[in-house]
Amino acid sequence: MSSDFEAYEQDFGTLTADITNKIGRIPKLAGEEKTQLVLNVDKQLEEVRELLEQMDLEVREIPIQSRGMYSSRLKSYKQEMEKLEKEFLIKLREERAHLLDNTEKLERSSRRLEAGYQIAVETEQVGQEILTNLHSDREKIQRSRDRLRETDANLGKSSRILTSMLRRIIQNRILVFILGAIILLTIVLAIYFNLRGH
């Protein structure tokens, strides 16, 4: 159990370090490259949220007396996640402010303004599509997780039934052995008393 949690911790560390690096690179990029980086960071933040949900599930399965350490670690990871999201939003606001400044300059040329607006609309559509796909994937993962739990419960029931059947088979064999021994002893005694009577 704790090894699963530690594996999730390693994934969390790797993802958050990558996100921090990418957030720092946002102001240095421009155009489509910046848009792709923003979408990538958003997708990775969603992965971290799902990872925290997995860690939360793991902590809930740990016995209550051992849960404290894992709960506090999970709490600190959630706080770290909130800081990352705030940092990302601040960067996006700064970028937006910067874009507004540029827009005032671009208003001199209506063609450039129209092209910039078109790019913004397309970027928003891509973002919406990605968010929709992520939501759909999340629902599929949840359904798969529920099916796995149901299958696990069924396997547990089957195991108990097989154990019970095995116990009955062993009991029946012992009973047959005892009955055979009694019959054999009865035959031997009958022969003995029969021979002794003659």
Side-chain angles (χ1 to χ4, degrees), residues 127-140:
Q128 283 289 7
E129 287 173 15
I130 289 172
L131 289 173
T132 302
N133 289 341
L134 286 172
H135 182 70
S136 172
D137 290 346
R138 186 175 180 179
E139 288 177 352
K140 287 175 187 172

Side-chain angles (χ1 to χ4, degrees), residues 46 48-58 74 78 138 142 145:
E46 183 61 29
V48 173
R49 285 184 206 102
E50 290 179 10
L51 193 60
L52 286 171
E53 287 177 13
Q54 290 293 328
M55 291 167 84
D56 196 34
L57 289 173
E58 287 292 325
L74 180 60
K78 286 180 179 177
R138 186 175 180 179
Q142 187 65 42
R145 193 182 302 144

Side-chain angles (χ1 to χ4, degrees), residues 36-157:
Q36 287 303 319
L37 188 67
V38 168
L39 290 173
N40 190 274
V41 169
D42 194 46
K43 184 178 179 182
Q44 284 185 310
L45 285 170
E46 183 61 29
E47 288 175 26
V48 173
R49 285 184 206 102
E50 290 179 10
L51 193 60
L52 286 171
E53 287 177 13
Q54 290 293 328
M55 291 167 84
D56 196 34
L57 289 173
E58 287 292 325
V59 168
R60 289 181 191 178
E61 292 180 13
I62 295 173
I64 293 174
Q65 60 272 20
S66 318
R67 198 180 289 174
M69 175 182 66
Y70 291 102
S71 293
S72 62
R73 280 157 61 181
L74 180 60
K75 185 178 178 182
S76 72
Y77 295 140
K78 286 180 179 177
Q79 290 170 348
E80 188 177 340
M81 174 64 181
E82 288 174 8
K83 287 178 187 173
L84 266 179
E85 287 177 326
K86 285 178 185 174
E87 185 180 342
F88 182 56
L89 286 173
I90 288 168
K91 285 286 181 201
L92 290 180
R93 285 188 190 123
E94 289 172 359
E95 289 304 306
R96 186 172 179 204
H98 182 67
L99 284 172
L100 287 174
D101 289 343
N102 287 342
T103 303
E104 288 174 5
K105 294 173 188 175
L106 291 173
E107 281 176 349
R108 297 177 208 140
S109 168
S110 62
R111 285 172 57 195
R112 285 184 181 180
L113 180 62
E114 187 60 38
Y117 176 76
Q118 189 62 36
I119 289 171
V121 168
E122 288 171 6
T123 304
E124 185 179 351
Q125 287 173 349
V126 169
Q128 283 289 7
E129 287 173 15
I130 289 172
L131 289 173
T132 302
N133 289 341
L134 286 172
H135 182 70
S136 172
D137 290 346
R138 186 175 180 179
E139 288 177 352
K140 287 175 187 172
I141 290 169
Q142 187 65 42
R143 283 196 297 271
S144 298
R145 193 182 302 144
D146 292 343
R147 278 191 226 112
L148 277 173
R149 285 186 183 142
E150 188 178 318
T151 303
D152 188 47
N154 290 337
L155 284 173
K157 287 177 187 174

